[in-house]
Structures are given as C-alpha cells and as structure tokens.
Amino acid sequence: MKLQTLLSQLQNMKLSGNENPDILSIEMDSREVKEGSLFICISGYTVDGHDYAEQAVRRGAAAVLSEKPLSLPVPVIVVNNTKRAMALLADTFYGQPTHNLHLIGVTGTNGKTSTTHLIEKILQNNSLATGLIGTMYIKIGDEQLSVKNTTPESLTLQKTFGTMVERGVSHAIMEVSSHALHMGRVHGCDYDVAVFTNLTQDHLDYHQTMDSYRAAKGLLFSQLGNKFDQNKPKTAVLNGDDSASSEFMKMTAAHVLTYGIDSECDVMAKNIAMSPSGTSFDLVTPHGREKVNMKLIGKFSIYNALAAAAASLASNVPLSIIAATLGEIEGVRGRFEVVDGGQDFSVIVDYAHTPDSLENVLSTVKQFVLGKTFVVVGCGGDRDRTKRKIMAQIAVKYADEPIFTSDNPRSEDPVAILNEMEDGVRGEYYHSIENREKAIYFAVANAKPGDVILIAGKGHETYQQIGTQIFDFDDREVALKAIKEQIK
Ligand SMILES: CC(=O)N[C@H]1[C@@H](OP(=O)(O)OP(=O)(O)OC[C@H]2O[C@@H](n3ccc(=O)[nH]c3=O)[C@H](O)[C@@H]2O)O[C@H](CO)[C@@H](O)[C@@H]1O[C@H](C)C(=O)N[C@@H](C)C(=O)N[C@H](CCC(=O)O)C(=O)O
Ligand SMILES: Nc1ncnc2c1ncn2[C@@H]1O[C@H](COP(=O)(O)OP(=O)(O)OP(=O)(O)O)[C@@H](O)[C@H]1O
Ligand SMILES: N[C@H](CCC[C@H](N)C(=O)O)C(=O)O
Ligand SMILES: [Mg+2]
C-alpha cells in the first residue's frame, strides 16, 4: 500500500516531504523492521521507541511515524499519539478485517479464557470456522501461535484478524483485558457481541481503584457502537448477578442480553444440581429451554456456560447445539484440571490468581471433599500487592492445610511476597514453603485418601519467572512426578 493512501486515514498529521514509498509492512519493534516497513515509535513503559527510529531506518524502514520531528533520511510523519494512529493504520493496512468477521469480545476479571473456549466449541459445533485470541494462544483454524499478552497490541491484533479472514475464518472470539481497553489496543475492533463475566479485585497496581478498573472494563461496552444497524445488530451480554452490569448497560445502545442465576435474567440456569462429577441445569432462554448436563463443576462454571450460551444465541446458534456442546466439553487446560497419577486423593491444578477466583474454586472443592483440603498458592510479583493478604486469608479460611509458596516472583524477592501474604494471617495455621516444587511435594506427601489438593495460580503456565530468568515449570508435571514417586 502506498504511504499516502495509508496516511489519508489520519486527520491530524505532519508529513515531511512528498515522497510516496510503498509500505510493505507496519512494525512497532525496530527488531522486526524489514525493507519497506513503516516503523511506528511507541513510547513504552520500559523504553522509548523513538530511540530506535535510526536503527529501524538502518534495517530498511521506508517511513517513520513519530510523536516528534526526527531528522531521518526517510519520510517522518508526526502525530500527537502514535498508539491511536497505529490502531487506525493497522485497521486500514489489513483491510478492516473485523468488518468481515463476526467478532465476540469477552471481558471481566475471571472466566475470560474459560468462556471464550466454551464459545469457540459451540460455534465450531455449529459448523462455523473460528479463530481465538487470549491468554494461552492465538488459534487460527488448527494453527496455534504463542502470545505475550492476553490481548495483543492493535498491530498484532489487526494482522491476526487479517490472517483469519484470509484463511476463511468467519467468527473470532477474543479475551479483552482491562489493560488493553485502557491502552487502546482494541481501538478499531468492530465487535458484534461484547460479553461481561464479572468484576472483582485485581490489577489495582495498574488501575489504582476499583472505580477506574470498572471504567476500563466499561470501555468495551461504550465502544460497542451507538447506531442501530438491523443488518449487523450488536449485542452486549451482561451478567445480571454482577452489580457492574447496570452501569455497562447504560454505556451502550446495543441490544442487551442478560444472564444469571440469582436475579431475573434473559438467559438463566434453573433446577441446578451439582455433584463432584458434573453439573446439570435447565438452560432457560428467550428461544426456549433445554436440559444441560455438564462435566464442568462449580457455580462459576455455570456462569461461564450461561455467558457462552447467551453470546452464542446472540450469534444465531440454535439452542439445541448450545446445550449439547456444553454437555460435551471436558474443560479448559489448567482450569480445574484433574491430575490423575493413580493416587487415592484428588489433585486439581487451577489458574485462580485473584481473591474471587480462589474463593470460588476453594468453595467448590469444599462442597465435595470427603477428607482434608490442601491448597498450594502464591501471588505473582510485580502485580497487585493488595490481593496478597486477601488471598492468604481465603486460603486459611477454606483449607485445612494452606501452603503458601511462590507464583512468578518476577523482579520481587519471593520471601518478601510470602511475608506480605502471611501479614494477612499472622497467628493462624499455615505452611510457608518458598520453593514451589517443594510445596507441591509437601502436599502430596501429606495427603490421605479422600483429601483434595488444589494447586492454584499458574494453571496452564509451563514456566516460572524468578528475577529475569524463566525456568521450565508445569504444576501438572510436578504434581504427577510427586504422585508417582509417592506411590512407588
Ligand atoms: C505494561 C504493559 O502493558 N506493557 C506492554 C508494553 O510494553 P512496554 O511499554 O514496556 O514496551 P517497551 O519495552 O517500553 O517498548 C516500547 C516500544 O519500543 C519498541 N522497541 C523496544 C526495544 C527495541 O529494541 N526496539 C524497539 O522498537 C517496542 O517494540 C515498543 O513498541 O507493550 C508490549 C508490546 O505490546 C507488551 O507486551 C507489554 O505488556 C507486558 C508484557 C505486560 O506484562 N503487560 C500486562 C500488564 C498486560 O497487559 N496484561 C494484560 C492481561 C491481564 C489479565 O489477563 O489479567 C494483557 O492483556 O496481557
Ligand atoms: N466466572 C468465573 N467467576 C469466578 N472465577 C472464575 C470464573 N471462571 C473461572 N474462574 C476461576 O478463575 C480462574 C481463571 O479463569 P480464566 O482463565 O477463565 O480467567 P481469565 O479471566 O481469562 O483470567 P486472566 O485475566 O488471567 O486471563 C479459573 O482457574 C477459576 O479458578
Ligand atoms: N494475566 C494475569 C496472569 C497472572 C498469573 C499468575 N500466575 C501471575 O504470574 O501473577 C496477570 O498478568 O496478572
Ligand atoms: Mg485469560
């Protein structure tokens, strides 16, 4: 695409010279720049991309987009905000791909990964070609790509959507993090369905207060479009049992479909029966009623199922397919995943890394446990510190054997993180074992028949970050090894 054609999208910009090179790619990382790239300078949290403009030109950049004049031998386009401009240019460069996709965005503190996977399976069972973007990976058809963020930058996002369209994907489902909403990574995404799971405490390191965290989540709904287009109707799927939903409802002119268990909603679960091996309920919707027999357990799983059902209904999937698919789903990797090494106690690996998710999962375990409950849990470094005490209190409240350990300490001292957890439960009964492998071994060595060990916080993760080093670490493998050695 010609530079001038691309730039016609920007209303306020200054371009030095009148050259009009062919732009073959857009890059925000100088290390990715190739001959013919447009390099966009982003001033980040760690470094300033403007400092890499010269390097980008040496690597062949044909033009540079910047927030200040730069003396370079290629055209320099100056705009007030390169991040906003990047979202617009990426959308244009990749052919406005979200206009050609049915796009479903899922936001909320907990349940985004789980819910997106439920929706993915339902759409696939309705013979639709899907793509998925989230914490674990990007999926385009059968191909899986690794990711750094739950919601990538606009450039990666639009490029990914472009590839999806090229490969015949018709429906894309994505997790939309509050960081992404706040940083404008999803500007330009034309959502058809926006789903809200829940709002509880997390990320206060970034958002500071729950009010601004709620406001960031709300951006998904205020960006859902304010015109009524009968050919492309938009739907906000809101959790009627979460008080934040009434605010989000005001933010959008789109159709609203509520789901819930306790309050009167459009999509509801009635006659719920829970057992250690599954959950059944009547899925009551504006399109009729179907019995659902799920293998997933816990009240939180019913919420995810209802959110997925409502999003699928808003995407025109027949109710019978929705109910049948919810019955088939085995679960999502690292979410309430059972580790079975032939032992006579249960081991569950789960991604609960917030107070609310930990409480949900532990209370689900407590509903069914015959013996004692063990929990192995830590808190990530360089993340919301205020949740540490609370998570420790929840662990002590629900577990007979709470074992505090390290999660991903990142740049923080692991012992200092443990101390902050312990500050919430001084004088109570707990164990503190800094080394996560040792903590898991300790739990396995002490569990008796009928006990349950919940290993929380890292779920699907296959690494542990200590300082700047990344070590191989998989809770499921470590637990399995401990079990095998124990029952030898
Ligand atoms: C705080 C934050 O969000 N940081 C994001 C940000 O990194 P940054 O600002 O530090 O970037 P930087 O390293 O300063 O670089 C600035 C610019 O210089 C460029 N650069 C840099 C070096 C170089 O040699 N050449 C060069 O051109 C970079 O490509 C970039 O354009 O931009 C990066 C690239 O897009 C992101 O990967 C990174 O996310 C980091 C890894 C992160 O941890 N983010 C978390 C807080 C986050 O966003 N989490 C949410 C999910 C939370 C949840 O699900 O609960 C998420 O959506 O992932
Ligand atoms: N609807 C829910 N409400 C509360 N807790 C939930 C819910 N769904 C899942 N959980 C718990 O939260 C954990 C994380 O779930 P999931 O990965 O689906 O959330 P997420 O929103 O994608 O998280 P992240 O922000 O890290 O991407 C699960 O392992 C489970 O313990
Ligand atoms: N998306 C979450 C993941 C946390 C996972 C936990 N294992 C940790 O490292 O803190 C975050 O970045 O806050
Ligand atoms: Mg996720």
Side-chain angles (χ1 to χ4, degrees):
M1 186 179 281
K2 287 285 183 198
L3 178 66
Q4 306 276 3
T5 314
L6 191 58
L7 295 182
S8 62
Q9 299 303 315
L10 300 178
Q11 292 202 332
N12 294 312
M13 53 113 194
K14 288 191 201 79
L15 169 64
S16 64
N18 54 6
E19 289 170 61
N20 194 14
D22 261 331
I23 299 301
L24 305 179
S25 74
I26 305 181
E27 304 295 348
M28 60 178 282
D29 188 331
S30 58
R31 293 160 291 193
E32 303 289 326
V33 166
K34 295 167 283 291
E35 207 61 46
S37 297
L38 165 67
F39 176 64
I40 303 188
C41 307
I42 304 287
S43 137
Y45 287 85
T46 321
V47 295
D48 186 352
H50 292 83
D51 297 339
Y52 297 91
E54 280 184 18
Q55 190 193 87
V57 172
R58 279 199 299 278
R59 292 179 60 94
V64 172
L65 188 83
S66 156
E67 285 178 1
K68 59 186 180 198
L70 297 171
S71 171
L72 294 169
V74 296
V76 176
I77 307 102
V78 180
V79 294
N80 290 334
N81 185 326
T82 45
K83 259 199 179 171
R84 285 186 81 92
M86 178 165 78
L88 202 64
L89 295 183
D91 181 60
T92 304
F93 189 77
Y94 293 106
Q96 301 208 289
T98 60
H99 293 207
N100 297 317
L101 285 169
H102 179 84
L103 182 60
I104 304 176
V106 180
T107 198
T109 308
N110 295 306
K112 298 183 294 296
T113 301
S114 309
T115 303
T116 49
H117 280 79
L118 300 184
I119 299 172
E120 179 196 36
K121 191 84 185 123
I122 294 171
L123 298 183
Q124 286 175 348
N125 279 359
N126 196 36
S127 306
L128 295 164
T130 59
L132 183 142
I133 299 174
T135 310
M136 298 206 285
Y137 36 59
I138 287 176
K139 277 210 244 174
I140 308 178
D142 291 335
E143 193 190 3
Q144 273 188 23
L145 307 167
S146 61
V147 289
K148 198 153 88 178
N149 290 99
T150 287
T151 312
E153 278 297 344
S154 59
L155 198 52
T156 309
L157 261 184
Q158 299 304 334
K159 188 178 184 172
T160 304
F161 291 136
T163 312
M164 287 183 183
V165 172
E166 258 169 44
R167 302 222 189 131
V169 167
S170 60
H171 286 60
I173 314 116
M174 68 180 287
E175 293 182 50
V176 190
S177 68
S178 57
H179 295 83
L181 286 158
H182 192 254
M183 292 181 202
R185 294 180 197 159
V186 294
H187 279 155
C189 291
D190 182 21
Y191 292 104
D192 297 287
V193 180
V195 183
F196 169 59
T197 60
N198 48 61
L199 184 86
T200 57
Q201 184 186 330
D202 200 12
H203 303 311
L204 293 187
D205 53 323
Y206 181 82
H207 297 289
Q208 308 293 322
T209 65
M210 283 302 286
D211 281 346
S212 61
Y213 181 34
R214 185 187 313 106
K217 294 273 181 216
L219 291 172
L220 183 65
F221 302 96
S222 53
Q223 290 171 11
L224 193 57
N226 275 310
K227 63 173 188 198
F228 298 113
D229 181 351
Q230 300 311 332
N231 295 321
K232 209 172 188 254
K234 312 266 184 191
T235 311
V237 170
L238 299 175
N239 179 348
D241 291 344
D242 190 300
S243 60
S245 290
S246 56
E247 282 302 309
F248 297 164
M249 199 181 293
K250 289 181 206 152
M251 289 177 188
T252 178
H255 297 290
V256 171
L257 200 57
T258 57
Y259 67 90
I261 299 173
D262 301 325
S263 51
E264 203 49 45
C265 292
D266 301 317
V267 175
M268 297 195 70
K270 297 227 164 125
N271 301 324
I272 296 171
M274 302 198 211
S275 81
S277 57
T279 310
S280 71
F281 58 88
D282 292 336
L283 177 59
V284 180
T285 80
H287 300 264
R289 189 180 181 118
E290 286 269 351
K291 186 91 195 156
V292 172
N293 293 303
M294 296 200 302
K295 292 169 193 156
L296 309 178
I297 67 170
K299 191 177 180 187
F300 63 91
S301 298
I302 305 179
Y303 277 106
N304 296 340
L306 292 175
S312 304
L313 285 173
S315 307
N316 298 319
V317 180
L319 182 60
S320 55
I321 291 189
I322 296 173
T325 311
L326 290 174
E328 261 175 37
I329 287 166
E330 296 286 346
V332 179
R333 192 149 42 97
R335 273 79 184 156
F336 220 89
E337 184 175 335
V338 173
V339 179
D340 188 358
Q343 77 282 15
D344 50 15
F345 49 88
S346 302
V347 176
I348 296 161
V349 167
D350 187 78
Y351 198 45
H353 53 77
T354 65
D356 181 62
S357 55
L358 188 61
E359 183 149 30
N360 273 298
V361 174
L362 275 171
S363 61
T364 302
V365 169
K366 290 295 276 188
Q367 255 179 290
F368 304 115
V369 67
L370 299 172
K372 280 184 174 180
T373 301
F374 290 65
V375 63
V376 178
V377 64
C379 292
D382 303 335
R383 293 288 186 272
D384 189 348
R385 292 173 65 166
T386 61
K387 67 181 179 182
R388 294 177 185 167
K389 270 188 194 170
I390 310 172
M391 285 174 67
Q393 285 160 353
I394 290 167
V396 166
K397 177 176 166 197
Y398 287 92
D400 307 288
E401 299 290 344
I403 304 156
F404 302 148
T405 189
S406 302
D407 190 290
N408 291 308
R410 302 192 177 86
S411 75
E412 289 191 58
D413 172 6
V415 176
I417 299 178
L418 278 175
N419 274 330
E420 287 184 29
M421 291 181 75
E422 290 175 42
D423 280 344
V425 290
R426 297 277 174 211
E428 309 265 4
Y429 173 77
Y430 60 84
H431 312 270
S432 211
I433 305 173
E434 179 199 338
N435 181 295
R436 193 169 179 95
E437 183 175 16
K438 289 196 175 130
I440 293 173
Y441 267 75
F442 176 83
V444 169
N446 288 286
K448 303 269 178 310
D451 291 351
V452 175
I453 302 174
L454 177 76
I455 305 173
K458 291 178 59 61
H460 64 279
E461 292 176 1
T462 52
Y463 63 89
Q464 185 176 29
Q465 185 179 349
I466 304 175
T468 51
Q469 278 187 288
I470 308 224
F471 299 91
D472 285 342
F473 197 101
D474 186 328
D475 282 349
R476 296 159 299 184
E477 278 176 14
V478 175
L480 209 51
K481 199 161 143 261
I483 294 164
K484 292 268 159 73
E485 288 176 21
Q486 176 81 11
I487 60 179
K488 235 188 334 208

